[in-house]
């Protein structure tokens, strides 16, 4: 008779495995209703959660790596946490390395991971890296691309539909009366950025609103957002966009500060939407509307796909291709874009 | 004839090695004056910076580990970045692991690092971990404790004088007219928290102001700061502190949002000071006064101490003890605490 596991608890409670994991590690992150259902399922099944420590000791030989651009963007640190919780539950430990978006660093760290014989690697990258991952796969190290759909049908990936996210942002701004849209983001060759721009463009076209002004930036940081915000504040009201969609929240937070400091009312004169829905966006004095990837499921799904490849080999689907999960993002509307009109 | 290196550039420019490293990686982070002196020194010496990629390939066998509580607090992600830049310049690559403040996880990850034969480990911990680090040292893996002064004279550490930081925060609030101080932080057994409280207490005592009210919290997060802020906003003005010192910036940002949302003017009715000076504190709509550790030097110093132990063995000082660097923090005054009175 096998002891009930986290999967049985999830099934009984009617929630995702990741939600049970979140409940066990961070009960305050789970809605009261879900927490109640999970607690009931645990009682009914007599489920005994293993201590994290015990699982970790078992898991020392099951090391996985996560290579991400960097963690100064809270979006990545939030995904990192979900990855850790999920991996721990599966008895795996995680080492992190940061590429800072540099292709040479990516290669160096992937090599370091392989040399250290990790069992699999999660990779977030802004650049084409599929060929490198295919070579690693041939040498026996599976990987999952996180945050961008792989352009190699044999490469598993977990991503957000960024075109849809951009479209939702654009539709929302237009519904709130904005007619002069701007998109702040870059570099434009980065797929995630290009997709978000494509989305907001399609929303404008569908509503017969002028195409958004594109303000391309070299880096998606608070400092850059602040510089763009100051430049926008210096424009005359007629020349200024009345709805701004930023490619991520840290850019948006910089924009918000500089616009308000420059005497521009948000959302009154400029409605503002970010992307990622990080916790600083929510905690801002003018809380920021943002497009949210569902982090819980997202990080957990990446680990699950990797675990599958590690345990069962590449496990292609019936048609021979790898699993590529694409999540539909959700617009979280807050004060920065909500206007009466 | 040896080619000039980064140390020669630093000496010629009259700046720290870490500053040259910052200049090479992130020129925008270095003051214009320093950048000019470094650029001149590079010209004069004919210094050719190595590509990060080349150094990284050389450094694949020089792997170090950094175990920190987690990266959702931007304070740690900022230190992590400085550690990476400095380590790269020394030809070392860095793997990160996160303990989430859990002692069992700390042990599990330290063991994982040792098994993977890292050459040394940086450790940020809120708990006594010196005995574990001593045992590792005996087995041949040196470490540097980052963020807290080691209570073992053979253990190298790099830390901030948190008592001084707390005192500066308290003196500043009192100088700005605050007479009913409160400290928000916890758990109180955490040394860094206890030291910051001791500092603000000593400032109050020295100024013959009532001892600060202590609002102990279980976790230093935005969500917890928000809950405390809502409770403070609900008090009558007479019962409410007029000067609040939060043990870190994420707590302070949550406090700020909930106070303002609750109709309490900041800094007018409550002056607010945080700790760490993370970039979100600076970018807040009411920019946050905060106590800053000098990250650049701080992360670089930790790597340098570790490098010394790796290259030259434990290298105790003349009196047989290990190097323990303690940095003096600096109060950065911004709008959240600046009042006319």
């Amino acid at each position: 008779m096998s002891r009930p596991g986290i999967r049985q608890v999830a099934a009984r409670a009617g929630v995702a495995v990741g939600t049970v994991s979140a409940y066990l590690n961070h009960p305050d992150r789970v809605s009261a209703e879900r927490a109640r259902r999970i607690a009931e399922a645990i009682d009914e099944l007599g489920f005994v959660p293993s201590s994290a420590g015990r699982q970790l000791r078992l898991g020392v030989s099951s090391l996985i790596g996560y290579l991400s651009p960097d963690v100064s963007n809270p979006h990545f640190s939030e995904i990192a946490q979900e990855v850790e919780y999920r991996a721990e539950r599966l008895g795996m430990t995680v080492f992190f390395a940061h590429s800072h978006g540099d292709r040479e660093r990516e290669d160096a760290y992937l090599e370091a991971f392989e040399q250290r014989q990790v069992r699999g690697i999660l990779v977030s990258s802004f650049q084409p890296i599929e060929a490198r991952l295919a070579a690693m796969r041939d040498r026996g190290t599976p990987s999952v691309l996180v945050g961008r759909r792989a352009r190699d049908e044999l490469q598993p990936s977990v991503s957000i539909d960024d075109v849809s996210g951009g479209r939702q942002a654009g539709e929302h701004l237009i519904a709130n009366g904005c007619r002069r849209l701007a998109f702040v983001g870059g570099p434009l060759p980065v797929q995630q950025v290009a997709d978000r721009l494509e989305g907001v463009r399609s929303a404008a076209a569908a509503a017969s609103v002028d195409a958004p002004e594109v303000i391309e930036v070299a880096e998606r940081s608070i400092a850059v957002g602040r510089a763009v915000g100051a430049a926008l504040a210096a424009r005359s009201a007629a020349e200024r966009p009345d709805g701004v969609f930023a490619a991520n929240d840290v850019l948006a937070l910089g924009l918000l500060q500089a616009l308000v400091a420059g005497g521009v009312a948000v959302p009154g004169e400029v409605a503002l939407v970010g992307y990622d829905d990080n916790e600083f966006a929510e905690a801002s004095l003018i809380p920021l509307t943002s497009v949210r990837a569902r982090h819980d499921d997202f990080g957990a799904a990446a680990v699950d796909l990797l675990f599958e490849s590690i345990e069962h080999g590449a496990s292609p689907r019936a048609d021979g291709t790898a699993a590529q999960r694409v999540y539909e993002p959700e617009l979280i509307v807050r004060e920065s874009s909500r206007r009466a009109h």
Side-chain angles (χ1 to χ4, degrees), chain A residues 110-111 113 129 138 146 148 191 197 225 273 291 309 318 324 336:
Chain A
L110 288 175
E111 193 179 327
F113 275 138
I129 196 170
D138 292 343
V146 180
R148 178 165 68 70
Q191 190 65 48
L197 173 56
V273 175
V291 179
S309 298
Q324 300 189 331
S336 71

Side-chain angles (χ1 to χ4, degrees), chain A residues 283-297:
Chain A
S284 171
L285 287 177
I286 298 177
L288 190 68
T289 295
S290 189
V291 179
R292 158 187 261 165
R294 294 183 198 117
H295 291 130
D296 294 25
D297 289 354

Side-chain angles (χ1 to χ4, degrees), chain A residues 33 53 93 98 108 123 134 142 157 159 191 198 207 269 317 329:
Chain A
E33 166 58 18
T93 49
H98 310 136
V123 180
S157 63
S159 58
Q191 190 65 48
E198 182 189 331
E269 294 176 88
R317 295 178 306 177

Side-chain angles (χ1 to χ4, degrees), chain A residues 195-244:
Chain A
D195 285 354
R196 292 165 200 186
L197 173 56
E198 182 189 331
V200 68
R201 275 188 171 137
S202 75
S208 303
V209 165
D210 283 348
E213 173 184 355
V214 176
I215 302 175
E216 186 175 5
V217 296
E219 198 184 87
R220 300 176 297 285
S221 66
I222 288 183
V224 167
R226 210 185 258 151
V228 174
L232 290 178
R235 293 192 193 172
S236 71
E239 296 290 315
R240 196 186 295 132
D242 60 359
V244 173

Side-chain angles (χ1 to χ4, degrees), chain A residues 15-243:
Chain A
V15 300
V17 171
T19 308
V20 179
S21 165
Y23 170 83
L24 294 170
N25 287 290
H26 289 270
D28 55 304
R29 293 196 188 170
V30 176
S31 71
E33 166 58 18
R34 285 178 172 193
R36 188 189 56 72
R37 294 203 323 251
I38 294 168
E40 278 179 15
I42 286 175
D43 279 352
E44 286 163 18
L45 294 169
F47 169 73
V48 181
S50 314
S51 98
R54 184 147 49 90
Q55 294 216 11
L56 277 172
R57 273 191 296 277
L58 291 174
V60 160
S61 60
S62 292
L63 186 68
I64 62 173
Y66 186 176
L67 176 66
S68 72
D70 90 81
V71 287
S72 67
N73 182 343
H75 175 61
F76 289 109
S77 57
E78 289 169 19
I79 293 177
Q81 284 197 37
E82 296 305 329
V83 162
E84 277 170 333
Y85 294 137
R86 185 78 186 120
E88 256 184 35
R89 289 284 143 192
L90 296 169
M92 301 189 293
T93 49
V94 192
F95 281 172
F96 293 83
H98 310 136
S99 65
H100 297 273
D102 181 301
R103 197 66 192 75
E104 285 191 80
R105 280 199 191 88
E106 285 180 344
D107 283 345
Y109 277 109
L110 288 175
E111 193 179 327
F113 275 138
E114 273 192 281
Q115 289 189 344
R116 255 59 196 188
Q117 299 175 323
V118 299
R119 299 197 57 197
I121 307 178
L122 301 173
V123 180
S124 292
S125 172
F126 297 127
Q127 302 160 91
I129 196 170
E130 281 83 343
R132 182 73 168 80
L133 300 183
M136 256 176 29
R137 189 167 63 234
D138 292 343
R139 289 192 294 271
T141 304
S143 65
V144 172
L145 192 60
V146 180
R148 178 165 68 70
R149 185 170 195 158
R151 287 189 212 108
D152 165 359
E153 59 180 15
L154 295 177
Q155 174 62 48
S157 63
V158 176
S159 58
I160 310 289
D161 183 342
D162 285 313
V163 177
S164 165
R167 189 184 304 118
Q168 291 181 51
E171 288 170 351
H172 168 74
L173 287 169
I174 294 165
N176 275 264
C178 302
R179 291 296 174 269
R180 299 186 308 279
L181 302 184
F183 172 77
V184 180
L188 294 181
V190 169
Q191 190 65 48
Q192 291 92 323
V193 174
D195 285 354
R196 292 165 200 186
L197 173 56
E198 182 189 331
V200 68
R201 275 188 171 137
S202 75
S208 303
V209 165
D210 283 348
E213 173 184 355
V214 176
I215 302 175
E216 186 175 5
V217 296
E219 198 184 87
R220 300 176 297 285
S221 66
I222 288 183
V224 167
R226 210 185 258 151
V228 174
L232 290 178
R235 293 192 193 172
S236 71
E239 296 290 315
R240 196 186 295 132
D242 60 359

